[in-house]
Amino acid sequence: MDSKRKQAGRTALPFAFAAALAAAAHAGQGCGDNRLPPRDLPRADEQRPLPRWYPERAWSEQGGDSQVYIEGKIVFDTSKAVIRPGSEKTLETLLQFLKEHPEVTRLRIEGHTDAQSSEEHNQQLSARRALAVADWLVDRGVENIRLIAVGFGESRPLGPNEIAAGRSENRRVEFHVAEVNGRPFQGQDPYAGGLALEVLSLEERKLRAAQAAQPKAPPPRKAFVATGDEIKPVPVKPPAEAEGPEGEPLTPSAPAKEAPAKGGAPATGGG
């Protein structure tokens, strides 16, 4: 009986010791390892949808959609119409689209902003940004008559302006087919109601830039013309008549007679 008990004790001791080591290791890991557990990747149906400017499909006249989806995004300096580096790939893709689709006789470039400033400022800014894209295309051989630059400001948001992600979605440039073979696409307004700016040719822009750089001369001074002596009539009012008692005009008095000489006889001339 004693031998059996000893054998059972020998068998239980390693298990108890192993359990104690495992518990100590688990306790130490909880205190020293703060790594987060691995996170499962989201499923395809849970992923965030791509923004509207992503090329979901190629444009075709039969598709009925005027928007041309270009991968990437054109970005600008804050509150300016200066295209920032990193936008070249999107611009090059747009340039290639115009080369491959000569039937698109007019393309509308739309500028959109967030609502961080006044409506007037945002509409002007969005139109100037659309014009900057049009000028970039004209500089690379696109005829200016094929391009329409319009600004819509903050009037057509894609996301809420209360959060940064929504404002980033709203700051964008879109491209829409306005005319196909000289006819408005699906009979729609080519300008779509936006604020349009004139797209000039490269030569016209250079000429206007040269004119603006020239210093403006002061206006010519008028030549001195002598008028000579001038006689101007001076109005003279007649003197007012003096009035006597009870409003009767005074008559001029007769000249006074000479007083008689002393001695009673008037003085006479000598003979």
Side-chain angles (χ1 to χ4, degrees), residues 120-132:
E120 182 179 0
H121 171 81
N122 290 333
Q123 192 171 34
Q124 291 283 346
L125 176 62
S126 62
R128 289 190 288 109
R129 286 179 171 178
L131 183 61

Side-chain angles (χ1 to χ4, degrees), residues 45-225:
D45 55 349
E46 294 178 352
Q47 294 182 6
R48 183 174 177 268
L50 295 173
R52 292 183 57 186
W53 53 78
Y54 195 86
E56 298 177 358
R57 59 185 180 277
W59 181 88
S60 65
E61 185 179 358
Q62 293 74 22
D65 189 1
S66 67
Q67 185 169 356
V68 179
Y69 294 92
I70 301 295
E71 183 178 3
K73 191 175 183 181
I74 301 176
V75 292
F76 300 85
D77 289 345
T78 303
S79 194
K80 296 180 181 179
V82 179
I83 300 176
R84 295 180 59 182
S87 307
E88 290 80 7
K89 183 179 179 181
T90 304
L91 293 168
E92 292 287 352
T93 306
L94 178 61
L95 178 62
Q96 187 64 27
F97 169 83
L98 290 171
K99 292 180 179 179
E100 295 176 353
H101 292 272
E103 74 278 10
V104 178
T105 51
R106 302 203 75 178
L107 180 75
R108 183 174 68 252
I109 304 173
E110 297 182 358
H112 302 269
T113 67
D114 56 27
Q116 288 295 95
S117 188
S118 65
E119 294 183 7
E120 182 179 0
H121 171 81
N122 290 333
Q123 192 171 34
Q124 291 283 346
L125 176 62
S126 62
R128 289 190 288 109
R129 286 179 171 178
L131 183 61
V133 176
D135 290 342
W136 189 94
L137 295 170
V138 171
D139 291 345
R140 285 152 185 83
V142 179
E143 294 181 342
N144 61 304
I145 195 63
R146 292 186 66 187
L147 303 174
I148 299 174
V150 295
F152 291 93
E154 59 187 77
S155 62
R156 298 185 180 183
L158 295 181
N161 282 292
E162 291 75 16
I163 59 177
R167 293 191 295 270
S168 179
E169 293 277 325
N170 297 335
R171 296 190 298 267
R172 68 195 189 277
V173 179
E174 293 184 1
F175 317 105
H176 292 260
V177 175
E179 285 184 5
V180 176
N181 294 323
R183 297 186 303 272
F185 183 62
Q186 295 187 345
Q188 299 177 0
D189 177 16
Y191 294 89
L195 174 63
L197 297 181
E198 183 182 7
V199 181
L200 301 175
S201 65
L202 180 58
E203 293 74 15
E204 290 173 329
R205 278 192 285 121
K206 288 183 178 180
L207 178 59
R208 293 194 180 185
Q211 293 175 348
Q214 292 180 355
K216 295 183 179 179
R221 298 180 60 181
K222 294 183 178 180
F224 174 76
V225 178

